[in-house]
Amino acid sequence: MTVFDVMRGGLVVSCQPLPDEPDDPMRDAYVQARVAASAAAGGAAAIRANGPDDIAAIRAAVDVPVIGLVKHGTTGVMITPTPAHAVRAATAGAHVVAVDATDRPRPDAGSFADTVRAVHSRTAALVLADISTLAEGLAAVDAGADAVATTLSGYTPTSPPTEGPDLRLVAQLAERLEVPVIAEGRYRTAQQVRQAFEAGAHAVVMGNAVTSPLWITRRLVEATPRASERRGQ
């Protein structure tokens, strides 16, 4: 049994501060570990986390699998962009390393396959390919990915953005692939989670809608009279 078997049919909770908010008070490894522990107590099947410090703290705080990544850079391929970043995530305690597997140029001029080989040969971790299109998902599995996630759909030049999650891509991948397909990206409601499983998802990742008070509060504040007054100025 692999960690993906443990995740089957479950909700994965992403515990990450907003990347464009360096002053977010939630940006602290201890805080993220407490958030992850709360999510696990609530029934989360796994936790997704960014950065070696957060990964290590969360691994020590929960008994569920940890999907780890290391974000680096501000444009293009930022999710675990090189083999070194991937090995760092695994060494910090990630059971699974999430890696950008889109067809965009990588900062080290390497390939997704290079990162897969590094993780598989140097660590005990598995590799989750974050993709944005069906073609990228198929290529990622050919390169050795242990599972595929729709994380980057709507965030690359080759994947048009959608208002909600890309359920069509989940269905396409589930129909074509034998590895687990993880639904991720703009999941915000229980109905969307159910729809993802109906489309063939192995597990569903939800992040800001669960773990970011900053993100949640901003969305709710937009419904207040004060926000309406501010927009009218």
Side-chain angles (χ1 to χ4, degrees), residues 47-128:
I47 302 295
R48 179 167 167 132
N50 170 39
D53 291 344
D54 286 15
I55 292 169
I58 290 171
R59 174 68 187 266
V62 302
D63 293 325
V64 298
V66 176
I67 300 172
L69 57 129
V70 177
K71 288 184 179 177
H72 183 78
T74 56
T75 60
V77 175
M78 296 181 288
I79 298 176
T80 322
T82 70
H85 290 108
V87 171
R88 196 175 306 153
T91 302
H95 298 88
V96 177
V97 180
V99 181
D100 184 316
T102 64
D103 57 10
R104 297 174 294 179
R106 308 176 80 81
D108 64 347
S111 68
F112 172 71
D114 293 335
T115 298
V116 173
R117 283 191 292 270
V119 172
H120 285 168
S121 65
R122 297 168 58 185
T123 79
L126 300 177
V127 176
L128 174 62

Side-chain angles (χ1 to χ4, degrees), residues 164-183:
D166 193 343
L167 295 165
R168 180 170 179 268
L169 179 57
V170 173
Q172 290 176 327
L173 291 166
E175 183 179 0
R176 297 284 298 274
L177 298 178
E178 295 184 4
V179 303
V181 174
I182 312 298

